[in-house]
Amino acid sequence: MKTLLLPGVNPATIEWLDLVFHKLELSSKQPFPFEYSFWSDKDDKPSLKKEIGRLPAQKFDLIIAKSFGTLVLLQALLEGRLSCDSAILFGIPIKIATDVKGFQAEEAFKQLADSSFLLIQQQEDKLGHAKLLLELQPANLLTIPGNDHQYNELDHYIEKSKSWLMKKSSGELIG
């Protein structure tokens, strides 16, 4: 299973995504952690277009994304730069998504109705409450307690995420 990890703006997100990946106990090789260009250049600002252009143009079995990484993923899928069988998205920053240059929010968010996405959102996430995502009618939304946009309480979602992935791989209808 080829897995891509798309972090948030903070480089520490890579370690957190790696932890989530290992807790999911996937029968997979090591995941591919994507590192943003702006991490190595303090004067560089996050650029959706630039990062999408740097993505490996290949299909992944699973993509796990957090915050800014969810926007990178959704836009890259929309543009046909990436493809995947399944994706787990943590903390979609819906409150600021329309302000991100190059993000086609309306079209990108339509993809969330696809059953190949599992969205995990804190009920009171400071960058977008779960109820805002409900308005987009996603196929699979798991709301968890919290408001800090950190998602460190793995016990709130790891087992449900494992179950979702198992059902998905066995071909059961999910929705």
Side-chain angles (χ1 to χ4, degrees):
M1 175 182 274
K2 287 195 313 190
T3 304
L4 174 66
L5 305 178
L6 291 173
V9 172
N10 185 331
T13 317
I14 279 288
E15 292 172 29
W16 175 83
L17 284 170
D18 190 62
L19 174 65
V20 169
F21 171 82
H22 284 92
K23 291 285 185 179
L24 288 172
E25 299 173 345
L26 302 169
S27 59
S28 178
K29 298 176 184 148
Q30 282 299 105
F32 175 75
F34 188 74
E35 295 185 9
Y36 298 122
S37 60
F38 57 85
W39 287 350
S40 60
D41 182 355
K42 300 231 187 271
D43 295 328
D44 203 4
K45 301 280 186 239
S47 165
L48 199 62
K49 182 178 181 177
K50 184 176 184 178
E51 300 309 329
I52 288 172
R54 296 180 57 248
L55 287 169
Q58 59 182 282
K59 183 173 193 250
F60 288 90
D61 299 303
L62 175 64
I63 298 177
I64 306 173
K66 163 96 172 36
S67 196
F68 179 72
T70 67
L71 303 183
V72 171
L73 170 62
L74 292 170
Q75 188 63 37
L77 290 171
L78 191 62
E79 294 177 11
R81 177 68 187 184
L82 273 182
S83 65
C84 64
D85 293 329
S86 303
I88 301 175
L89 288 72
F90 290 91
I92 297 174
I94 195 166
K95 282 185 179 178
I96 62 168
T98 55
D99 297 332
V100 175
K101 186 178 178 182
F103 185 68
Q104 298 169 301
E106 188 175 334
E107 290 302 311
F109 286 145
K110 285 180 184 176
Q111 299 173 102
L112 300 177
D114 187 319
S115 65
S116 62
F117 294 103
L118 173 61
L119 284 57
I120 301 173
Q121 195 79 7
Q122 290 176 331
Q123 292 166 346
E124 304 290 322
D125 188 313
K126 64 184 179 183
L127 294 182
H129 295 186
K131 64 183 174 188
L132 292 174
L133 284 179
L134 274 175
E135 295 171 11
L136 300 172
Q137 300 176 340
N140 301 294
L141 173 62
L142 173 59
T143 61
I144 62 171
N147 62 5
D148 61 5
H149 196 68
Q150 296 299 310
Y151 297 83
N152 289 328
E153 304 296 330
L154 278 66
D155 58 319
H156 288 301
Y157 55 80
I158 287 296
E159 290 306 316
K160 289 180 182 175
S161 298
K162 282 184 194 179
S163 176
W164 179 79
L165 285 167
M166 286 178 55
K167 287 179 184 176
K168 187 116 184 50
S169 68
S170 69
E172 288 183 40
L173 290 178
I174 304 165

